[in-house]
Amino acid sequence: MSLLESKLPNVGTTIFTVMSQLAEQHGAINLSQGFPDFQPPARLVELVEKHLRDGRNQYAPMAGVMALREAIAEKLRDLYAVHADPESEITITPGATEALFAAIHAVVRAGDEVVVFDPAYDSYEPAVALAGGKTIHVPLETPSFTPRWDRLESVLSDRTRLVIVNTPHNPSGTVLSEADLAELAALLRPYGCYVLSDEVYEHIVFDGRHASVLANPELRERSFAVFSFGKTYHATGWKTGYAVAPRALTAELRKIHQYLTFAAVTPLQHALADFMRECPEHHLELADFYRKKRDFFVERLRASRFAFTPSQGTYFQLADYGRISREPDTDFARRLTIEHGVAVIPISVFYADPPAGATFVRFCFAKQEATLRAASERLVAV
Ligand code: PMP
Ligand code: GLN
């Protein structure tokens, strides 16, 4: 048999796995891969147990448990004044990752172009490649990590099938405003392309409110918006998320979803539906909850040689280590893990063409104060 020719020859193991493994191997404090080191709300865990015991253990409906889709529709109405039909416009998926993959495969064909802003979350491009599409990379400005819309305009054409945006943005922690989205809508007006908006950190915005593509009527018509319960309920391991899109787009997304996984995990969906109704304040309090963690962490980091602008959203803080070292970020991240006992994410891996000489790493501050205190003591000593 001939050697298998890889369909993704340039893809290795994701940086999140690489850095978490390195952290474990060296007993480092793991501020790399994004996940909380604390538990989901106790009541939510209780509800999962209840639904497991009550026998909610067989396949969920392909599009998701209706009670959960209805709870999401209510939330979208309350938060963004958006109407989304639970029957035809909301789909529960095993994680935002599956929703992203299904949305990309729903619209991207061989030869289509898909625009992403670098640094871009690492699951987008492989999905585009597997669909036969070509990823066009538009860098965000550094060090502000904001989009320059004229740069987007210069790559748009009739070949553009999809534009992927991510707000609040991983890894930079910046957010798009309503005005940014209005600009995006205006730029896309001449083109028949779609938008995929990764909004998994929608509830973690520190100043003002999250601007969703769903709340922009023009973008709403051409967008898939993707969300994750993992981020909102401190349960990344539950891998449960959802996609919201107009009926015709949802119909295509479901054709992929039904053969990728068919349905998301049943008892989790029932528990999340109950919890959203019982504790609507949970997601409303999330920004304050994480603002305290961000402030706790950055106050301590000020005593270090890292330079940074406090994150505007997500549970990530970017920092510039240029005053400590000029080595490439992947080397610095390894050395920080092995020699100083703090694992971080180098961000050059999220670029097609990393900016020369950039010295940024990403810290995850979704951690208990004791973890953040211990990590910052080590970082101050670097
Ligand atoms: N998009 C972004 C920007 C993320 O940070 C993550 C997180 N891990 C995901 C998508 C995937 O979310 P999930 O774990 O629900 O698949
Ligand atoms: N989204 C998480 C992060 O940015 C990681 C998710 C994963 O490990 N696949 O750190």
Side-chain angles (χ1 to χ4, degrees), residues 73 196-197 254 285 331:
L196 172 54
S197 185
R254 287 181 185 171
E285 290 167 357
D331 294 350

Side-chain angles (χ1 to χ4, degrees), residues 14 16-17 32-35 97 121-122 170 201 231 239 316 345 362:
T14 161
F16 305 118
T17 300
S32 65
Q33 188 178 26
F35 61 87
T97 307
Y121 188 61
D122 70 348
N170 178 7
Y201 301 101
K231 318 293 170 192
K239 294 301 300 185
F316 301 119
I345 295 288
R362 189 196 79 177

Side-chain angles (χ1 to χ4, degrees), residues 12-336:
T13 301
T14 161
I15 191 69
F16 305 118
T17 300
V18 170
M19 292 313 301
S20 275
Q21 276 177 353
L22 196 68
E24 190 152 333
Q25 197 183 331
H26 293 275
I29 299 172
N30 190 359
L31 305 190
S32 65
Q33 188 178 26
F35 61 87
D37 71 345
F38 43 86
Q39 296 304 314
R43 174 63 183 152
L44 177 55
V45 173
E46 217 173 82
L47 286 165
V48 175
E49 281 173 1
K50 170 184 174 309
H51 286 291
L52 282 167
R53 287 187 213 289
D54 286 356
R56 310 270 200 187
N57 297 307
Q58 309 311 328
Y59 295 127
M62 181 272 277
V65 164
M66 190 42 101
L68 182 56
R69 286 188 272 156
E70 283 169 351
I72 291 166
E74 259 173 55
K75 186 176 90 167
L76 292 171
R77 198 174 50 230
D78 294 348
L79 279 184
Y80 308 123
V82 164
H83 174 76
D85 177 16
E87 189 65 58
S88 61
E89 297 188 307
I90 299 173
T91 309
I92 315 295
T93 57
T97 307
E98 201 243 42
L100 292 166
F101 192 92
I104 288 167
H105 279 259
V107 297
V108 177
R109 295 148 201 253
D112 285 347
E113 292 185 356
V114 177
V115 182
V116 305
F117 292 93
D118 282 359
Y121 188 61
D122 70 348
S123 79
Y124 309 150
E125 183 159 17
V128 172
L130 290 172
K134 180 175 174 206
T135 303
I136 307 293
H137 296 265
V138 175
L140 294 175
E141 295 303 292
T142 26
S144 63
F145 293 93
T146 48
R148 253 188 50 195
W149 296 112
D150 57 326
R151 288 200 171 183
L152 171 64
E153 190 173 18
S154 70
V155 301
L156 292 175
S157 76
D158 292 338
R159 293 184 301 278
T160 311
R161 188 70 171 171
L162 184 67
V163 175
I164 304 182
V165 294
N166 169 213
T167 181
H169 183 254
N170 178 7
S172 74
T174 57
V175 301
L176 295 179
S177 64
E178 280 175 28
D180 285 318
L181 296 181
E183 185 110 25
L184 175 65
L187 281 178
L188 298 185
R189 219 166 276 150
Y191 302 99
C193 64
Y194 300 101
V195 172
L196 172 54
S197 185
D198 181 341
E199 303 184 14
V200 298
Y201 301 101
E202 63 174 326
H203 300 304
I204 315 179
V205 173
F206 302 125
D207 298 300
R209 284 160 45 90
H210 169 60
S212 173
V213 292
L214 298 177
N216 178 301
E218 251 182 293
L219 293 177
R220 168 82 169 97
E221 293 290 298
R222 52 165 94 207
S223 294
F224 299 90
V226 167
F227 304 89
S228 172
F229 292 109
K231 318 293 170 192
T232 303
Y233 296 106
H234 317 315
T236 59
W238 290 5
K239 294 301 300 185
T240 308
Y242 56 102
V244 182
R247 172 188 286 265
L249 294 183
T250 293
E252 293 307 310
L253 177 138
R254 287 181 185 171
K255 288 182 191 172
I256 314 283
H257 159 75
Q258 69 182 348
Y259 294 124
L260 199 50
T261 52
F262 181 71
V265 177
T266 309
L268 296 179
Q269 294 188 60
H270 285 285
L272 285 163
D274 289 352
F275 191 75
M276 283 176 78
R277 289 240 150 77
E278 273 184 30
C279 286
E281 65 282 5
H282 175 90
H283 64 261
L284 299 175
E285 290 167 357
L286 205 61
D288 279 340
F289 174 83
Y290 276 117
R291 187 185 298 102
K292 287 197 188 87
K293 294 198 180 294
R294 178 200 64 176
D295 292 348
F296 183 89
F297 183 57
V298 301
E299 280 317 312
R300 277 153 190 79
L301 207 57
R302 281 190 210 289
S304 77
R305 289 192 289 161
F306 288 91
F308 57 87
T309 310
S311 170
Q312 299 170 338
T314 72
Y315 45 52
F316 301 119
Q317 177 63 55
L318 216 58
D320 187 340
Y321 60 86
R323 283 190 298 206
I324 299 167
S325 154
R326 303 301 307 179
E327 70 202 297
D329 63 355
T330 43
D331 294 350
F332 181 76
R334 268 190 79 79
R335 205 161 62 74
L336 197 65

